[in-house]
Amino acid sequence: MTDEPEAKRAKGMGVRYAYETIRDEILDLTLDPGQLLDETSLAERFGMSRSPVREALIRLAGEELVVTLANRSTIVAPIDVQSFPKYVEALDIAQRMNTRLAAELRTDADLQAIAARQHGFVVAVGSGRHLAMSEANKAFHMAIATAGRNPYLASFYERLLNQGRRMLHLHFRYLEAGNEGHLLTDEHDEMLAAIRDRDVERADTLAHLHTRQFRDNFIDFMTQGYLTDARLLSIGQPSAAPLAV
């Protein structure tokens, strides 16, 4: 009887460890888009049974980070280059709406929370760790969404931010290659200032420019040939069409 709670905790910790490790390796592109995830190999790597690995993969599938194929094998979700223009279009709308609402409705407590998240992002940028940077970036933008007081828009925005974290990782690489890592922190500071001043139109403009910079830098990164070996297409798509954004 006394061993049962310990066993349950151990199982839960195993699932969490497998989930967090695989998730982080997907997000920082240690695991390539389209790479096969073999349950047996992962179980051996983590020193656990296949059951917690399977549960971890199910959770990752729910977050659209892995895909289960018809033959029941699991792969890292491809990055769909052809859908990128539509993704950016949706991100732009969500980013602008949440930032506008934050400028209009924010409280002093909201402003303090956004500023704290921006400080966290600056610290993460200083560390040079892309995974920490993408986590801090999401936290900053979700603090803005919280200040906007619309849970439906915030939920939609969070889903888009999650879907774009691997592309953001490439965006960070691009900025670092050009020694322009300061630009993201500067843009966040400007957005924070517009929200502080309750300048709705300025907040809208900055949110749009923020999305456009991400879009342009990602496309530039792609055209420079950094991803010639990475599998970025949707399953079943034979080739990538030009990006019309």
Side-chain angles (χ1 to χ4, degrees), residues 37-231:
L37 298 173
D38 178 65
E39 288 183 10
T40 301
S41 299
L42 289 170
E44 291 176 355
R45 173 189 170 189
F46 297 139
M48 60 182 66
S49 69
R50 292 173 57 184
S51 179
V53 171
R54 187 177 302 114
E55 290 185 41
L57 292 177
I58 290 172
R59 182 173 175 183
L60 290 165
E63 297 176 6
E64 301 180 359
L65 290 175
V66 305
V67 176
T68 302
L69 303 179
N71 63 3
R72 302 187 67 180
S73 61
T74 302
I75 63 170
V76 176
I79 297 175
D80 189 349
V81 176
Q82 290 183 321
S83 294
F84 183 72
K86 293 298 184 183
Y87 169 79
V88 171
E89 181 180 301
L91 178 65
D92 186 46
I93 292 171
Q95 192 145 267
R96 292 172 67 181
M97 288 303 302
N98 280 285
T99 308
R100 285 181 66 94
L101 288 171
E104 179 181 358
L105 303 174
R106 65 88 177 160
T107 65
D108 289 343
D110 291 326
L111 196 61
Q112 291 175 3
I114 297 168
R117 296 295 180 268
Q118 168 59 356
H119 175 72
F121 180 70
V122 172
V123 171
V125 169
S127 75
R129 294 173 52 244
H130 292 171
L131 191 60
M133 290 163 64
S134 69
E135 290 174 352
N137 178 74
K138 176 187 171 183
F140 170 77
H141 287 289
M142 287 310 300
I144 291 175
T146 298
R149 300 289 185 279
N150 189 316
Y152 299 100
L153 283 174
S155 178
F156 176 56
Y157 190 29
E158 183 173 22
R159 180 182 177 187
L160 291 170
L161 291 172
N162 284 334
Q163 290 177 340
R165 282 186 64 180
R166 287 185 293 172
M167 290 182 283
L168 186 62
H169 180 90
L170 300 174
H171 178 57
F172 292 150
R173 285 191 194 175
Y174 177 87
L175 292 177
E176 288 180 352
N179 298 313
E180 298 181 81
H182 64 283
L183 291 179
L184 278 177
T185 55
D186 289 351
E187 288 184 2
H188 282 188
D189 284 337
E190 291 176 5
M191 293 169 73
L192 175 60
I195 293 169
R196 179 185 295 114
D197 296 341
R198 301 187 186 277
D199 189 337
V200 174
E201 295 307 319
R202 176 65 174 161
D204 186 331
T205 298
L206 289 168
H208 174 62
L209 292 174
H210 198 54
T211 308
R212 189 171 68 180
Q213 190 220 40
F214 164 68
R215 178 203 66 184
D216 293 347
N217 287 350
F218 180 78
I219 294 172
D220 287 346
F221 190 96
M222 293 287 294
T223 58
Q224 288 178 15
Y226 285 92
L227 301 178
T228 54
D229 296 327
R231 289 163 287 180

